[in-house]
Amino acid sequence: MMDKKPPKPAPRRIFQERLKITALPLYFEGFLLVKRSECQEYKHYWTELRGTTLFFYSDKKSPTYVDKLDIIDLTCLTDQNSTEKNCAKFTLVLPKEEVQLKTENAESGEEWRGFILTVTELSVPLHVSLLPGQVIRLQEVLEREKRRRIETERIPSSEKEQEPTEDYVDVLNPMPVCFYAVSRKEAIEMLEKNPSLGNMILRPGSDSKNYSITIRQGIDMPRIKHYKVMSVGKNYTIELEKPVTLPNLFSVIDYFMKETRGNLRPFIYSTDECLETKGFPV
């Protein structure tokens, strides 16, 4: 009788194992072909962009990384001409080395460029070819990275050296930047007082288990509407006349944007604004 193969770790368990290594927030992930200066050939890795560090794993389900690369001091990102079809190649120029990256398709290449430049330059690049929903995702990551750096500067060095805990919610359950822990009344007030910042807020539902979307539409006679977003297993269902089920809350926000052709925009406070002066939770 053949020996049974050890069970593969569940996705959530993998996340928890990786959190024992780092508590940096996960911004983007996917397969990358990587060639560092000391290597002659590309190596295939499942790669995570956490904060301003790339973590390389031998495969998607491996709980520990085999290599990592800090890109906070990125000098520039240069494109390379590729003779391969549906492939993107570019080089990360760092003070001490140059690292070549290759993606499996052109679209993935644009996403990696966008996320890497956003977290290293602290601005959303204008020269990447991305869909509106993808650009919004970059804006969300930009705001999260700005907040992370501000919080990191405030943390005493002794605390920075402590081991991360397994309940680091920001990584296990990353939230869209338009999520605010406010009531229905507070969400309405935020939208009415700050129309230039967006017109769509994701907030906790009344039962604390599900969520709600509050929107403000119209210019002359603006209307407020609320939509329930129910957590169903690993998915989320928007309670419409014909319910729509999506895999995550980012997709929920994208759905509203696409269905309204961009008329609905996530409500995003700038990190330069002090929310406390407005009477809302930070």
Side-chain angles (χ1 to χ4, degrees):
M1 183 180 292
M2 295 180 62
D3 293 334
K4 291 184 178 180
K5 294 182 179 180
K8 295 181 179 179
R12 183 176 178 84
R13 179 61 182 170
I14 294 170
F15 279 126
Q16 291 176 337
E17 288 296 324
R18 291 177 182 176
L19 284 175
K20 294 178 181 178
I21 302 170
T22 177
L24 290 170
L26 176 62
Y27 293 148
F28 191 64
E29 60 184 342
F31 285 109
L32 271 180
L33 288 160
V34 182
K35 184 163 71 172
R36 302 194 68 165
S37 54
E38 69 273 12
C39 301
Q40 298 296 321
E41 298 180 351
Y42 283 95
K43 293 184 179 180
H44 195 253
Y45 294 118
W46 176 259
T47 308
E48 293 183 338
L49 174 61
R50 291 179 177 268
T52 54
T53 302
L54 292 171
F55 289 86
F56 304 116
Y57 298 84
S58 57
D59 57 55
K60 189 175 181 179
K61 296 184 177 181
S62 177
T64 57
Y65 66 88
V66 296
D67 199 2
K68 68 176 180 178
L69 178 67
D70 187 355
I71 58 173
I72 193 170
D73 294 323
L74 181 71
T75 304
C76 66
L77 185 155
T78 59
D79 293 328
Q80 295 182 29
N81 293 326
S82 176
T83 56
E84 302 173 51
K85 292 183 179 180
N86 298 321
C87 170
K89 295 174 67 176
F90 48 94
T91 300
L92 303 181
V93 181
L94 298 162
K96 294 184 179 180
E97 70 171 317
E98 294 186 4
V99 181
Q100 297 180 43
L101 303 179
K102 184 164 63 173
T103 62
E104 297 177 322
N105 55 67
E107 181 180 354
S108 176
E110 287 297 291
E111 288 185 291
W112 275 110
R113 285 191 191 92
F115 280 95
I116 288 173
L117 291 174
T118 295
V119 299
T120 55
E121 297 181 352
L122 287 182
S123 64
V124 175
L126 302 176
H127 56 279
V128 291
S129 301
L130 296 174
L131 297 173
Q134 294 171 320
V135 174
I136 290 295
R137 186 75 185 276
L138 291 183
Q139 293 172 341
E140 293 175 346
V141 165
L142 174 60
E143 292 301 316
R144 292 177 65 199
E145 178 60 16
K146 285 181 177 179
R147 292 172 187 168
R148 183 187 75 85
R149 294 200 191 186
I150 291 173
E151 291 169 1
T152 300
E153 290 174 358
R154 294 174 179 171
I155 299 174
S157 57
S158 59
E159 291 186 22
K160 292 180 186 178
E161 296 172 359
Q162 292 180 0
E163 287 293 319
T165 59
E166 291 193 25
D167 59 352
Y168 190 80
V169 178
D170 194 39
V171 179
L172 284 178
N173 300 297
M175 299 294 288
V177 74
C178 62
F179 172 78
Y180 298 92
V182 296
S183 66
R184 173 189 285 220
K185 182 180 178 181
E186 288 172 327
I188 294 172
E189 191 174 346
M190 289 167 70
L191 294 176
E192 290 179 339
K193 287 187 175 181
N194 307 277
S196 63
L197 300 182
N199 53 6
M200 175 169 50
I201 286 177
L202 174 67
R203 58 183 176 80
S206 57
D207 58 2
S208 300
K209 295 181 181 179
N210 300 299
Y211 298 89
S212 292
I213 295 277
T214 297
I215 66 170
R216 184 176 186 266
Q217 281 185 299
I219 299 176
D220 297 329
M221 296 183 65
R223 295 178 299 167
I224 297 289
K225 291 185 178 180
H226 308 276
Y227 297 90
K228 289 184 178 180
V229 180
M230 311 300 289
S231 177
V232 182
K234 295 182 179 180
N235 299 317
Y236 295 89
T237 298
I238 308 171
E239 290 199 342
L240 302 171
E241 185 176 344
K242 184 178 179 181
V244 175
T245 299
L246 298 163
N248 53 57
L249 291 172
F250 291 102
S251 297
V252 170
I253 300 301
D254 286 344
Y255 174 83
F256 278 93
M257 291 175 57
K258 291 175 182 176
E259 288 299 306
T260 60
R261 297 184 179 181
N263 288 324
L264 286 179
R265 296 178 296 107
F267 184 93
I268 302 175
Y269 268 122
S270 168
T271 52
D272 297 329
E273 296 186 55
C274 179
L275 305 192
E276 291 178 333
T277 62
K278 299 178 183 294
F280 298 119
V282 177

